[in-house]
Amino acid sequence: MTTLTAHSFLGNLNQIYERTLGRPIHQKGELLCLQRLRGLAVLMVLIVHIEDVGRHFPGASQTASLYSRHLGYSAADLFFVISGFVMAYITFTRPFNARSWAISRFMRIYPMYIFFSLLVMGLWLYDSKMTMGTGEQYWSRVVISLMGLPQADLPLLFVGWTVEHEILFYTVVFLTAHFLGRERLPLVMSTLAALALGRWLLFQTTGREIWDYHLTSPYIIQFAMGVLIYRYWGSLAKFGWKVPILVGSLFLTAGIVLATSGTINKEPMGRILLFGCAYSCYLLAALNLEQSQRANGKFRQHRDVLVWIGDASYSIYLTHAFVLATFGKLFYFIHSPLAQWIAMGAAAASTMVVGLITHIYMERRVMEWGRVLSKPSKSASSAQ
């Protein structure tokens, strides 16, 4: 009875999202499993950051939980593997038009990122200590942050460090598809991944650090993993979903036990390889399961709660820092353990609500503008 009630509640919630707040934008060939994995990744991020803010409670422990120390920090690894697959999927399954591709990716990332970075810049102008980055901020760093260009420290909006890596990866995909042909993307990404491993080995053996503007960042290896999952998905489909789940769980367990998070731009290779392989296997399992269900006529095009969290993941990711920073200032005054738990719940719910509202009333509009602007001209369409 409880299960039926919960299922009914989630179904009603989904109807509210789709009918009252607005129908989601359906992409041709959309894979819902990718949205679910994105939803999972952003929830992993939120748990870690809510815990961080919870340390503002009077008498709270300043030690991170086992979850944050051993698993939660790897949410970025999951995002990068998904992104590697998605970019290959988009680039290979649609006609490549350089102008349309560039505009569509620009509109997907930059307007939202610049808007929230400008909010942080406003705080910085008001009080130079009110930033979400690391180290002293000055105008050149602020401009670099607004442009999403690579930097050694955290950008003005601290979550932008992942956006920097995404933008670099998009640039590599664009240049490869435009000048070398998109079929070369797996080779290019594998080469960059090998260089990233070589750079890491150079540091381990000589202590020499090379600032490469993220071009051979360890995370390039995880983007490459996603690209290769797309490239060999047809061959790997024979393993179904159970084998990848089992293998992925072995890698995940090894990552939890053996890996450490490291510091920004100095991530240990153990983290990159173990969590990258784990999430690549889980991605493959999700893809194979959805493909099998579609082939057997058992797939339901139902956007459940995790899917619409995935839909709004970028908005939730960009806004949650502002919401949690606000709650963090209130947490200093809450002493009762019960009140603290209630406040944590309110903070979690507020991050979701603000992120969903931002997605519906801001991000979706930007996405629509991107679709209009990126439509190929009639001459380009006829040439294709």
Side-chain angles (χ1 to χ4, degrees):
M1 188 70 165
T2 306
T3 304
L4 288 175
T5 305
H7 186 272
S8 175
F9 170 74
L10 292 176
N12 291 335
L13 200 60
N14 189 57
Q15 289 179 8
I16 291 173
Y17 172 68
E18 290 196 2
R19 296 179 183 176
T20 307
L21 300 181
R23 293 191 177 279
I25 299 172
H26 295 277
Q27 302 276 4
K28 184 179 179 182
E30 180 183 33
L31 296 167
L32 292 188
C33 62
L34 297 179
Q35 295 302 79
R36 291 191 179 96
L37 288 173
R38 279 175 169 155
L40 175 63
V42 81
L43 288 176
M44 290 173 67
V45 172
L46 289 183
I47 293 171
V48 172
H49 290 167
I50 289 171
E51 180 186 321
D52 287 342
V53 175
R55 296 193 189 95
H56 294 174
F57 288 126
S61 170
Q62 298 305 303
T63 303
S65 69
L66 289 174
Y67 167 78
S68 292
R69 293 202 310 270
H70 296 286
L71 177 62
Y73 68 83
S74 71
D77 306 292
L78 176 54
F79 269 125
F80 291 144
V81 170
I82 295 171
S83 185
F85 179 89
V86 169
M87 282 299 98
Y89 183 72
I90 289 173
T91 305
F92 278 86
T93 57
R94 303 173 188 174
F96 180 76
N97 177 286
R99 173 187 170 278
S100 297
W101 196 100
I103 292 175
S104 130
R105 290 301 96 199
F106 178 90
M107 293 297 291
R108 187 70 188 89
I109 291 288
Y110 269 106
M112 294 278 292
Y113 177 68
I114 291 173
F115 176 80
F116 288 103
S117 293
L118 285 172
L119 292 184
V120 183
M121 189 184 80
L123 294 173
W124 173 69
L125 290 173
Y126 175 75
D127 182 346
S128 60
K129 296 179 181 178
M130 294 178 68
T131 70
M132 297 181 180
T134 56
E136 182 183 358
Q137 298 289 337
Y138 37 88
W139 274 110
S140 61
R141 281 195 65 189
V142 170
V143 171
I144 289 173
S145 292
L146 288 174
M147 296 174 69
L149 297 178
Q151 50 187 306
D153 293 317
L154 289 175
L156 196 63
L157 175 60
F158 78 93
V159 296
W161 74 269
T162 59
V163 179
E164 291 175 9
H165 284 78
E166 291 280 351
I167 290 170
L168 175 74
F169 173 54
Y170 291 176
T171 303
V172 170
V173 174
F174 174 80
L175 293 176
T176 300
H178 187 51
F179 293 106
L180 301 178
R182 54 188 176 180
E183 68 281 355
R184 300 290 179 87
L185 181 60
L187 175 61
V188 169
M189 291 305 301
S190 298
T191 302
L192 288 176
L195 290 173
L197 184 59
R199 175 173 170 264
W200 176 80
L201 287 171
L202 178 67
F203 175 72
Q204 296 301 309
T205 54
T206 68
R208 183 180 177 187
E209 291 189 73
I210 300 173
W211 174 236
D212 63 345
Y213 298 90
H214 302 331
L215 189 60
T216 56
S217 159
Y219 292 116
I220 285 290
I221 297 173
Q222 294 177 337
F223 285 121
M225 288 177 177
V227 170
L228 292 174
I229 289 292
Y230 173 80
R231 170 64 180 82
Y232 295 106
W233 182 18
S235 305
L236 297 171
K238 63 185 177 185
F239 292 108
W241 63 272
K242 292 181 182 178
V243 172
I245 283 286
L246 175 61
V247 176
S249 298
L250 293 175
F251 276 116
L252 188 70
T253 302
I256 290 171
V257 173
L258 302 174
T260 55
S261 65
T263 56
I264 186 70
N265 295 322
K266 295 181 181 179
E267 295 80 3
M269 192 56 66
R271 163 191 174 166
I272 299 300
L273 296 178
L274 291 174
F275 284 114
C277 288
Y279 294 136
S280 295
C281 289
Y282 287 148
L283 170 62
L284 178 62
L287 291 166
N288 286 348
L289 179 60
E290 181 165 332
Q291 184 183 51
S292 172
Q293 289 175 337
R294 287 179 184 272
N296 297 329
K298 296 180 180 179
F299 181 75
R300 294 177 60 214
Q301 193 74 22
H302 174 64
R303 306 185 80 83
D304 53 42
V305 173
L306 200 54
V307 171
W308 49 261
I309 291 175
D311 290 341
S313 57
Y314 190 44
S315 290
I316 295 170
Y317 186 67
L318 290 177
T319 59
H320 80 278
F322 297 90
V323 178
L324 294 182
T326 303
F327 272 92
K329 296 185 183 301
L330 301 175
F331 284 2
Y332 285 110
F333 307 101
I334 302 176
H335 295 265
S336 160
L338 176 60
Q340 289 177 354
W341 279 108
I342 293 173
M344 291 276 276
S350 297
T351 57
M352 298 301 294
V353 169
V354 171
L356 286 169
I357 290 174
T358 303
H359 168 68
I360 292 163
Y361 293 106
M362 182 177 177
E363 184 182 3
R364 281 165 50 89
R365 284 169 170 74
V366 173
M367 289 168 67
E368 289 289 6
W369 295 337
R371 281 182 179 80
V372 172
L373 293 172
S374 64
K375 282 183 180 177
S377 62
K378 290 184 179 179
S379 57
S381 299
S382 354
Q384 290 175 1

